[in-house]
Amino acid sequence: MNFPHLFSPLQVGPYRLAHRVVMAPLTRMRADRTSFAPRQLNAEYYAQRATPGGMLIAEASPVQATGRGNPGTPGIYSQAQITGWRAVVDAVHARGGLIFLQLWHVGRVSHSSFQPGGAMPVAPSAVPITGNGMLAMTADGKMVPYETPRALETEEIEQVVEAFRQAAVNAKEAGFDGVEVHGANGYLLEQFLQSHTNLRTDRYGGSIENRARLLLEITQAVSGVWGAERVGVRLSPYGIANGSGEADPMPLYTHVIKALDALGLAYLHFIEPRSSGAGRAEVNWQNVPSAMVLFRPLWNGVLISAGGFTGETAEAAIAQGHADAIAFGRIFISNPDLPRRLRHGFPLTPYNRATFYGGGEAGYTDYPVYDEMAPA
C-alpha cells in the first residue's frame, strides 16, 4: 500500500505537518458531568492518537453555557475547563503532536434542560427542528421533541461574538496550537447562514451577505486573538445534519468561501455531503456533490476534507488536488495509531458505534495499537 501524497509534509499556517492524516473533531461526551472540564481520561485518549508532526482537532467545545446541547461535552468558558484542556494539550505535545480546539455553539440543537435557568435554547429565529425521527436529548438522557428556540435579539449577537472571542483567549491559555470555528452540521453559525432557519429582518438576516455576517464577525474576532494563520473554519455545504439544508447551497457557500478566503486563514475544513449526519448514524448518501471538488477552485489556502474516507480515497483526493489533508473520524476512534496503520497497510480495527457517546474507557481508550509481532 503506497500513499506518497498522504504521507508528504504540509505547511498549515506556521506549522509543518509531517503527514496529512488529521484527526477530525469528535464529540465523545466524556468530560466531567458537573464542571464540563476535560478529565485525565480525555488526556489519555488524545495522547494515544498524537503523532510527531500530526494534527488533531479536539472535539467541539461550547464557548458559553447557553451553547451546550449534550451531556458530558467539555466547554472552554471556565477556569476549570481551561485547566482540564491544558492537561490534554500537554499530553499531546509530549507526543510531538499539534492540537487545535473546535469552538462551538449549538444554538437550537439543544433543550431547556441544558440551559441556565431552564430557558429556551437560542437561535437566529424561532424555528424548531422538526421532521421524522428528529428528537432532542435532555440533560437526563431522555429523547423528546425539540422545543421552539428563542430568537436572539440583535444586541445579544454581540455577546455571542464576544463569547467566541473569549473562548479563543481561553484556548490560548490552555496551550492549544490554534482553533477551529464550527460553522457546520446545523449548529448556531450554520443556522444563521441558511435561509430556512434565519428569518431575521435585521443586519444578520435576509441577504446572503447578512446571513454570513455572524460567521465572518466571529472568525475575525477569533483571528484577532490568534492571528488568522492559526484559525480554521469548518463548513458542511449540502449537509443535512440537525435539520440543516439550504435549498440552493451554491450561491450561499460561494459567497462564504470567497469571504473566508480573503482572511488568510490556516485552513478550511469541509464535511463531505455523503457523510452529513453529525455522527448519529451510519450515513453514506449517494449521488450528492463533493464539497471539495465543487469549492476547491474558490479556496486558495489549505483545504481539509472529512467524511467516510479510506486510505485509498484520501490518497486520491490529495493526489488529484481536491484537498490538502484528510480528517478521519470513526476509524481514528478505533485505531489510535491510524497514521501508522495507513502508512504500512496494517488492518484496521472496526469501531463500535454503541460506545461513541458517554461512558468511560470502553470504546474510548481501550482500542489497541496494531501489534506487528502478534500471530495472524
Side-chain angles (χ1 to χ4, degrees):
M1 211 165 290
N2 187 21
F3 300 142
H5 295 86
L6 194 56
F7 287 96
S8 60
L10 175 66
Q11 193 74 26
V12 177
Y15 305 114
R16 186 167 176 82
L17 304 188
H19 59 78
R20 301 174 186 226
V21 179
V22 175
M23 181 174 161
L26 297 161
T27 293
R28 305 302 309 276
M29 300 185 194
R30 282 171 169 84
D32 181 85
R33 292 295 178 111
T34 302
S35 66
F36 311 114
R39 302 181 287 151
Q40 184 55 41
L41 181 68
N42 307 127
E44 180 184 352
Y45 165 78
Y46 282 105
Q48 287 175 344
R49 287 153 182 81
T51 54
M55 180 176 170
L56 312 180
I57 307 173
E59 64 208 272
S61 300
V63 299
Q64 57 187 152
T66 57
R68 297 186 58 249
N70 300 99
T73 51
I76 188 61
Y77 54 85
S78 76
Q79 194 59 51
Q81 293 160 6
I82 295 169
T83 301
W85 276 121
R86 189 178 297 119
V88 172
V89 171
D90 288 348
V92 170
H93 286 167
R95 297 283 298 271
L98 295 164
I99 183 167
F100 278 48
L101 180 65
Q102 191 184 58
L103 306 180
W104 194 27
H105 193 304
V106 303
R108 69 176 186 160
V109 191
S110 185
H111 184 267
S112 54
S113 58
F114 290 105
Q115 299 295 313
M120 284 297 115
V122 296
S125 303
V127 180
I129 298 175
T130 58
N132 188 32
M134 301 293 286
L135 295 172
M137 180 184 292
T138 66
D140 59 1
K142 295 185 175 69
M143 302 304 292
V144 300
Y146 278 99
E147 301 159 311
T148 300
R150 178 180 70 80
L152 285 160
E153 300 293 339
T154 303
E155 56 271 19
E156 290 181 291
I157 295 176
E158 293 180 10
Q159 298 167 20
V160 174
V161 177
E162 172 57 23
F164 272 88
R165 190 201 67 80
Q166 183 60 52
V169 171
N170 296 347
K172 202 168 204 180
E173 184 182 337
F176 282 96
D177 299 297
V179 291
E180 177 178 287
V181 175
H182 197 342
N185 278 349
Y187 297 118
L188 183 68
L189 302 189
E190 193 172 77
Q191 292 160 31
F192 269 86
L193 288 176
Q194 297 192 342
S195 56
H196 76 290
T197 45
N198 185 343
L199 310 180
R200 302 179 72 88
T201 57
D202 62 3
R203 66 181 184 274
Y204 292 96
S207 68
I208 285 174
E209 290 77 11
N210 282 357
R211 285 184 275 129
R213 189 184 307 276
L214 180 59
L215 173 64
L216 294 171
E217 286 184 352
I218 284 171
T219 303
Q220 288 168 316
V222 168
S223 297
V225 173
W226 276 94
E229 70 279 4
R230 289 177 172 84
V231 174
V233 172
R234 198 178 209 202
L235 300 174
S236 52
Y238 290 88
I240 56 171
N242 294 313
S244 66
E246 183 74 355
D248 182 6
M250 283 303 295
L252 170 63
Y253 285 96
T254 295
H255 171 80
V256 168
I257 291 163
K258 285 182 175 179
L260 291 172
D261 186 60
L263 301 181
L265 301 175
Y267 63 86
L268 180 64
H269 185 183
F270 283 142
I271 302 169
E272 287 294 330
R274 64 172 177 262
S275 296
S276 175
R280 293 192 179 193
E282 294 299 325
V283 175
N284 189 8
W285 306 115
Q286 301 300 313
N287 303 315
V288 292
S290 165
M292 63 180 180
V293 173
L294 273 180
F295 296 109
R296 169 91 256 190
L298 305 180
W299 182 255
N300 292 300
V302 170
L303 183 64
I304 302 173
S305 197
F309 283 92
T310 63
E312 289 78 8
T313 59
E315 172 68 17
I318 296 170
Q320 294 163 11
H322 297 318
D324 298 297
I326 301 298
F328 294 88
R330 292 164 294 184
I331 62 172
F332 225 139
I333 287 174
S334 56
N335 297 274
D337 56 337
L338 180 65
R340 173 172 160 265
R341 295 202 197 202
L342 292 177
R343 185 190 287 271
H344 297 291
F346 298 150
L348 299 181
T349 301
Y351 52 82
N352 177 9
R353 179 170 289 280
T355 58
F356 278 3
Y357 303 115
E361 295 87 352
Y364 191 61
T365 55
D366 63 347
Y367 283 110
V369 299
Y370 183 72
D371 184 357
E372 297 169 68
M373 305 307 292

